Amino acid sequence: MNVALASLPAEPGQANEDFAAAAAGAAVLLDGAGVAGAETGCTHGIAWFSSTLGGLLLSTMTAHPAQPLAECLADSIRVVRSLHEDSCDLSYRASPTSTVVAVRADAGALEYLVLGDSTLLLADHDGKTTVITDQRLDEVGKRLRGPVDALATGSPEHAAALAEYRDSLTGLRNRPGGFWIAGPHPQAAGHALVGAVPLDTLASVTLLSDGATRLVDSFELATWEGMLAVLGLSGPAELIHRVRAAEADDPDGRRWPRGKAQDDATVVHWTLS
């Protein structure tokens, strides 16, 4: 098994709110999320939340191989909450959150968990791909973001519309009819997409934050199979480089409307054969 990982913040010198790590037979990727300009109630920040939760989750799922991944995530959320609930007010609507993708190989199967809009890409030996993405955030977002996409990314009008959109989105976080994401409450783990596939059917397993999947699902400049070809030939860093090049060609979001001109981008590519 061979694991390659690359992660890049949206802007040089800016904190990277993504987190990814791998251990023997396991990997996690988290994409930290918040509401720009909003009070979070947390003194630590989004990057602290995603990295602390990610490290704890990887440790828990490898130390307890028989424990279901959703329970590992719930336990990890409880621990993170205990680390800062005395110093931070976690009742804020905009308290730090994170997507989660976790995989673990055990007993001939690959277990997976996906919560939030990061992506798990599975490829079999014939090159067929299976894409597992939690679509609930996108479904909610499509109902709300029309005014945002009609404006140039980075303009004052876009910033105002984006703030209103994010406020509305936050009100639907971790609620029935809305979307689910890892935050202060461990109950969210029970709403993750979980499953297992036979390990011997897989050629590769790839975890991607939405800043990395833009090349396919937002820009439509590649297919999932084409993305895998880039990863296999040149690795995750080259994939992120291609995302950045596309973003630079459309800095104001006219061709590809989006909340951020550039986003943190992270890829974990695990080759099994």
Side-chain angles (χ1 to χ4, degrees):
M1 295 181 183
N2 181 47
V3 177
L5 187 157
S7 187
L8 198 66
E11 300 288 347
Q14 179 177 299
N16 189 342
E17 295 171 350
D18 287 358
F19 173 83
V28 298
L29 182 150
L30 291 82
D31 180 355
V35 180
E39 291 291 333
T40 67
C42 178
T43 62
H44 300 90
I46 296 167
W48 175 88
F49 179 82
S50 59
S51 61
T52 303
L53 179 59
L56 282 166
L57 176 58
L58 185 62
S59 174
T60 301
M61 56 194 271
T62 53
H64 304 284
Q67 186 175 14
L69 292 179
E71 292 183 13
C72 292
L73 176 57
D75 287 348
S76 300
I77 291 172
R78 288 189 188 95
V79 174
V80 174
R81 182 183 180 97
S82 72
L83 292 175
H84 71 142
E85 63 183 344
D86 291 338
S87 59
C88 304
D89 185 350
L90 304 185
S91 66
Y92 276 61
R93 291 174 65 219
S95 58
T97 60
S98 179
T99 71
V100 181
V101 180
V103 294
R104 179 174 61 188
D106 186 54
L110 181 87
E111 302 171 75
Y112 66 80
L113 176 149
V114 178
L115 182 66
D117 63 349
S118 293
T119 296
L120 175 63
L121 179 62
L122 306 176
D124 67 17
H125 297 288
D126 295 323
K128 180 183 177 182
T129 59
T130 300
V131 182
I132 302 168
T133 305
D134 185 348
Q135 299 286 354
R136 287 168 291 191
L137 176 57
D138 288 343
E139 290 166 359
V140 171
K142 286 175 182 177
R143 303 200 306 260
L144 300 174
R145 64 176 297 126
V148 179
D149 291 343
L151 298 166
T153 301
S155 68
E157 295 81 7
H158 180 272
L162 185 61
E164 184 175 345
Y165 161 76
R166 286 172 170 167
D167 183 66
S168 299
L169 203 62
T170 300
L172 294 169
R173 186 180 73 187
N174 290 345
R175 292 187 179 183
F179 65 98
W180 300 88
I181 194 167
H185 305 295
Q187 296 92 325
H191 295 271
L193 308 180
V194 296
V197 295
L199 198 59
D200 61 7
T201 65
L202 297 173
S204 67
V205 178
T206 308
L207 293 68
L208 305 110
S209 68
D210 66 344
T213 59
R214 284 181 165 186
L215 204 65
V216 176
D217 57 18
S218 295
F219 303 161
E220 298 181 344
L221 294 176
T223 62
W224 295 112
E225 291 77 12
M227 176 183 285
L228 281 174
V230 172
L231 289 169
L233 183 65
S234 305
E238 173 60 22
L239 177 62
I240 294 175
H241 171 75
R242 296 190 184 194
V243 173
R244 287 288 182 264
E247 292 167 335
D249 285 342
D250 181 42
D252 61 1
R254 289 297 189 183
R255 181 179 180 186
W256 300 302
R258 53 198 190 272
K260 301 176 183 177
Q262 295 188 165
D263 197 3
D264 301 336
T266 301
V267 181
V268 181
H269 185 56
W270 181 2
T271 306
L272 284 77
S273 63

